Amino acid sequence: MRTMGGDQVEEAVAGAVALLRTATDRDWEGVRAGRLEWSCRYTAEHIASDLIAYAGQLAGRATRAYVPFEITLDDGTGNEGVLQVIETTGALLAATVRTTPREVRAFHPYPFRSADREGFAAMGITEVLVHTHDIAEGLGLAYEPPAGLCAEVLSRIFPHVQPGADHWRTLLWATGRGELPGRAPLETWRWHNNLVIPAGRLTLQGVTPAAAADLAVGGDGGFVWVDGGPYQGTRDAAGMLLKAYETGVHRPEWGVFTLVRTEDGRAVGGMGFHGAPDEDGRVEIGYDLAEPARGHGYATEALRALSAWALERAEVTSVFATTEPGNLPSQAVIERAGFTRVTGEDDKQFAYELRAARP
């Protein structure tokens, strides 16, 4: 699977700087950047600030808040100097992304208080693309970044946004900067880094549409798997996630998670929801493990953690899991996780329920 990393950061920065360098002789301070309240000059400085901030988060392994520093340009720095700073901070983010281990996550406030290296790369690229658009709009320049780069950003940090035929226009719409046929304009917007849930010896790492697309066609989804993984159930679930994304009904927190061992960073299986909670607050969980990972208690730990996370949501009243009557190991996993069987001996599927402990 092609990962989002330093190459894409450099690609975004190079394209932006090449365009803006054609207008360094213009007045950036006195011109408003597109729909923003900021000037073109302030917006350009903001790009550099974001790039170095994201590099700092990853390099410093910040976990609770932003690293408390700001970038300040020397007095008298001209427009060309600002572009040199953007190039430099972009190179720093690219280098940091390349040298940060895959499992490292650092603080970012939205929506789940952390992001991995791909998330920070995608956020940095988005800042470059959309704010270059803002500046170009203010200066009357034509700007359109590579469609593939836009698609990669959308499939990683905009999983809640239905993809469109024009990836750049879709990204502009998703960031409140444009219109798309059949979609209402956005007044507010957020990107959406993947959810990671701790589960004893594992972490449950939310699968992005980019990873799901790779898993569904036989790839590794960007994960390092134990021998025999991923199992077919994980690939099937990835295919369903991808279909939900393409039809605009995907809710990322109710999607698929890869089970990753904390001791070595290897993926051992998949677990996820069959969809968002229904009108009665019921949500169903399914899972599988690669064969070498079975019999070690991983599924039980993961099921407990994911069920607990779901039941903490106000919209959830109960969690269900089903298995075949002859699948005794799976039944044992579900029962150890605290579920109670709610079907009889003659049913073709055994269903189990775990209810929220609320008054």
Side-chain angles (χ1 to χ4, degrees):
M1 175 183 172
R2 172 179 155 112
T3 60
M4 170 155 282
D7 290 351
Q8 289 92 334
V9 173
E10 290 176 341
E11 180 183 8
V13 170
V17 169
L19 174 71
L20 297 180
R21 194 158 266 149
T22 66
T24 53
D25 60 339
R26 304 270 296 277
D27 175 17
W28 290 14
E29 189 64 56
V31 177
R32 180 172 164 177
R35 305 182 185 189
L36 303 181
E37 298 295 331
W38 301 342
S39 70
C40 289
R41 170 61 182 243
Y42 181 86
T43 305
E45 294 181 7
H46 177 78
I47 293 173
S49 295
D50 283 335
L51 292 172
I52 193 63
Y54 294 157
Q57 291 302 98
L58 278 178
R61 307 292 196 263
T63 58
R64 296 187 178 182
Y66 279 114
V67 178
F69 75 97
E70 293 183 1
I71 187 172
T72 303
L73 276 63
D74 293 341
D75 291 342
T77 299
N79 294 337
E80 173 60 31
V82 176
L83 295 183
Q84 291 175 5
V85 176
I86 291 174
E87 288 177 315
T88 301
T89 53
L92 289 171
L93 177 57
T96 305
V97 169
R98 288 190 179 108
T99 56
T100 299
R102 187 195 177 285
E103 293 304 306
V104 168
R105 297 187 73 85
F107 174 82
H108 188 276
Y110 189 82
F112 300 118
R113 316 280 300 172
S114 73
D116 61 11
R117 65 188 185 187
E118 286 204 357
F120 278 106
M123 289 187 290
I125 291 166
T126 302
E127 296 284 2
V128 171
L129 300 186
V130 301
H131 287 315
T132 299
H133 162 79
D134 297 333
I135 298 169
E137 193 171 57
L139 297 175
L141 303 174
Y143 174 64
E144 182 156 345
L149 190 59
C150 300
E152 289 188 272
V153 166
L154 287 165
S155 65
R156 283 172 171 83
I157 59 170
F158 292 91
H160 53 296
V161 172
Q162 182 178 10
D166 188 322
H167 303 303
W168 174 226
R169 300 298 179 277
T170 301
L171 181 59
L172 289 177
W173 175 85
T175 56
R177 288 170 169 81
E179 298 180 357
L180 282 179
R183 304 194 198 187
L186 296 180
E187 295 183 2
T188 61
W189 63 274
R190 293 283 189 181
W191 47 50
H192 199 293
N193 283 293
N194 66 325
L195 172 64
V196 173
I197 300 172
R201 296 168 294 165
L202 308 169
T203 56
L204 279 64
Q205 301 185 12
V207 173
T208 65
D214 189 60
L215 285 167
V217 296
D220 58 20
F223 297 92
V224 179
W225 290 84
V226 296
D227 292 341
Y231 207 62
Q232 188 58 43
T234 297
R235 296 197 186 281
D236 293 342
M240 290 187 285
L241 184 158
L242 187 61
K243 183 177 181 180
Y245 171 63
E246 292 173 342
T247 55
V249 298
H250 178 47
R251 290 181 60 184
E253 64 271 33
W254 302 107
V256 180
F257 298 81
T258 298
L259 313 184
V260 179
R261 283 195 308 226
T262 55
E263 66 178 16
D264 60 4
R266 289 187 173 271
V268 300
M271 182 174 290
F273 300 102
H274 291 193
D278 65 19
E279 59 186 12
D280 296 321
R282 166 178 164 159
V283 66
E284 185 173 349
I285 289 180
Y287 60 89
D288 68 12
L289 291 179
E291 289 189 14
R294 296 173 185 174
H296 300 283
Y298 294 137
T300 299
E301 291 180 24
L303 184 56
R304 284 173 180 159
L306 190 56
S307 299
W309 182 88
L311 291 172
E312 288 172 357
R313 315 275 80 77
E315 60 190 304
V316 176
T317 58
S318 60
V319 179
F320 280 76
T322 62
T323 188
E324 295 79 14
N327 192 341
L328 299 181
S330 183
Q331 293 169 33
V333 165
I334 297 171
E335 290 170 358
R336 284 196 298 268
F339 286 68
T340 301
R341 204 171 87 192
V342 293
T343 55
E345 292 290 341
D346 295 331
D347 288 284
K348 294 181 180 180
Q349 286 272 321
F350 284 173
Y352 294 80
E353 180 186 34
L354 185 63
R355 297 192 64 82
R358 298 191 186 110

